[in-house]
């Protein structure tokens, strides 16, 4: 019987070990082989590269255009739980408002997102600017440590919040741009200049007028936690030349508010009030 030379064994043993590892990898899926426990996130494109949504309503380009932003979306669910998620509530409210405006005629409408997708905060207002919108409204649903807080709140931009609650809310909403500590949006050395530009009196005055109209038209239709306009440094409102408001339509952590926000009655009251506010606003501030 012939014996295998030692030098051949030195060659065959590593080959056998490698073959065994390949078999184990294919059979049991080591990390990196695309198994369920490997998490992958589809990060959004850089700000400014997102596609523009369709404009609905009259074909006449001279008609005023409002851009409606449904807060959160995609892998960012916002506040709430699997039963009631902010991203679903805001999208339903945005669609209801769009449908109400289109049904009434005379106003063009675009949604920053018409489905469950993620947008960087700057992209949302960026869409409105690129479409040359005349008005921008971002819709959200608030959350609180207890279920006692209830009612909607309307915000306009301010570098300093109108109160501590407003400042904390802006900080929380602005974190939607950060995942695992990574800033998804492009920042530049012009941030300070942007904050200065945002103080332009005419744009802020128009934003406050629109916010006041929402409070007026919603009286008796919706419940408001704050009866006055609030202000905070929301990134989504930082457009120097675009009147903008952020509407926290209610507290998703309050059972009554959550039920109302999800209901047809709630969507109807919300869309009626805000659509009326939009029409009165455009009657006062004819684009041009």
């Amino acid at each position: 019987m012939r014996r295998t030379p030692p030098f051949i064994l030195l060659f065959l043993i590593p080959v056998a070990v490698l073959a065994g590892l390949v078999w184990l990898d294919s059979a049991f899926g080591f990390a990196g082989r695309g198994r369920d426990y490997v998490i992958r996130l589809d990060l959004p494109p850089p700000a400014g590269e997102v596609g523009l949504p369709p404009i609905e309503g009259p074909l006449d380009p001279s008609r005023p255009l409002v851009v409606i932003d449904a807060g959160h979306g995609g892998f960012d669910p916002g506040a709430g739980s699997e039963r009631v998620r902010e991203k679903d509530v805001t999208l339903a409210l945005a669609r209801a408002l769009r449908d109400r405006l289109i049904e009434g005629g005379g106003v063009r409408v675009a949604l920053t997102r018409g489905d469950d997708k993620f947008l960087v905060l700057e992209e949302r207002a960026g869409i409105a600017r690129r479409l040359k919108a005349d008005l921008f409204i971002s819709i959200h649903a608030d959350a609180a440590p207890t279920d006692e807080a209830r009612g909607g709140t309307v915000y306009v931009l301010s570098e300093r919040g109108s109160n501590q609650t407003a400042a904390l809310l802006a900080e929380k909403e602005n974190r939607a741009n950060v995942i695992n500590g990574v800033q998804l949006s492009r920042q530049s050395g012009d941030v300070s200049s942007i904050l200065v530009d945002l103080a332009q009196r005419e744009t802020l005055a128009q934003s406050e007028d629109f916010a006041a109209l929402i409070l007026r038209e919603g009286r008796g239709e919706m419940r408001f936690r704050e009866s006055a306009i609030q202000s905070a440094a929301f990134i989504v409102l930082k457009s120097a030349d675009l009147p903008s408001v952020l509407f926290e339509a209610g507290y998703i952590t309050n059972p009554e508010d959550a039920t109302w926000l999800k209901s047809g009655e709630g969507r109807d009251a919300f869309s009626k009030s805000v659509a009326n506010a939009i029409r009165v606003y455009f009657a006062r501030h004819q684009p041009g």
Side-chain angles (χ1 to χ4, degrees):
M1 179 178 176
R2 297 179 59 187
R3 301 179 63 180
T4 303
F7 70 89
I8 295 180
L9 290 176
L10 291 174
F11 171 77
L12 292 176
I13 289 174
V15 172
V17 171
L18 179 61
L21 290 174
V22 170
W23 179 83
L24 287 172
D25 188 37
S26 62
F28 299 102
F30 288 171
R33 298 295 298 180
R35 304 301 178 183
D36 290 343
Y37 51 78
V38 178
I39 299 174
R40 290 184 173 85
L41 293 178
D42 293 325
L43 296 180
E49 294 185 5
V50 65
L52 291 176
I55 296 176
E56 302 177 76
L59 297 178
D60 183 357
S62 68
R63 295 292 184 175
L65 171 62
V66 57
V67 171
I68 306 168
D69 173 47
H72 304 277
F75 54 78
D76 172 24
S81 61
E82 283 298 319
R83 187 179 64 87
V84 187
R85 299 182 298 185
E86 183 179 1
K87 69 174 184 176
D88 301 325
V89 168
T90 60
L91 182 57
L93 292 175
R95 287 171 171 169
L97 177 56
R98 173 200 60 190
D99 295 344
R100 173 84 64 169
L101 288 168
I102 292 175
E103 181 182 358
V107 176
R108 297 181 299 145
V109 186
L111 300 181
T112 57
R113 67 177 184 95
D115 53 19
D116 185 21
K117 69 178 179 181
F118 177 83
L119 290 170
V120 171
L121 295 178
E122 287 86 352
E123 287 176 338
R124 297 171 184 269
I127 287 171
R129 287 194 302 271
R130 291 163 63 198
L131 288 176
K132 295 179 172 59
D134 302 293
L135 194 62
F136 176 81
I137 177 171
S138 186
I139 302 170
H140 290 256
D142 212 343
T146 69
D147 61 5
E148 296 178 359
R150 187 182 180 193
T153 308
V154 186
Y155 291 89
V156 296
L157 179 72
S158 173
E159 187 175 353
R160 299 182 63 183
S162 53
N163 53 48
Q164 185 178 13
T165 300
L168 291 174
L169 177 63
E171 182 182 355
K172 181 191 72 173
E173 295 289 1
N174 293 345
R175 284 201 298 268
N177 268 10
V178 180
I179 297 178
N180 294 334
V182 177
Q183 178 62 248
L184 298 183
S185 61
R186 288 177 174 173
Q187 290 290 357
S188 71
D190 296 328
V191 172
S192 297
S193 298
I194 292 174
L195 289 174
V196 172
D197 291 340
L198 288 170
Q200 289 184 350
R201 293 184 179 182
E202 183 62 24
T203 300
L204 180 57
Q206 291 177 2
S207 299
E208 290 175 340
D209 187 34
F210 178 40
L213 287 169
I214 292 176
L215 292 172
R216 189 190 78 177
E217 296 298 323
R219 193 174 299 121
E221 297 284 343
M222 296 183 289
R223 183 186 182 106
F224 290 101
R225 179 171 175 81
E226 298 287 351
S227 59
I229 302 168
Q230 303 297 299
S231 60
F234 291 104
I235 289 176
V236 75
L237 298 182
K238 293 184 177 182
S239 298
D241 55 351
L242 176 62
S244 308
V245 304
L246 185 143
F247 190 3
E248 296 280 356
Y251 278 83
I252 207 167
T253 46
N254 177 280
E256 292 180 68
D257 269 14
T259 299
W260 184 84
L261 288 167
K262 285 185 63 180
S263 69
E265 177 187 358
R267 289 192 297 272
D268 186 66
F270 173 89
S271 62
K272 176 184 176 182
S273 302
V274 179
N276 286 344
I278 289 171
R279 293 188 181 283
V280 174
Y281 172 85
F282 283 137
R284 291 181 177 179
H285 308 273
Q286 288 293 336

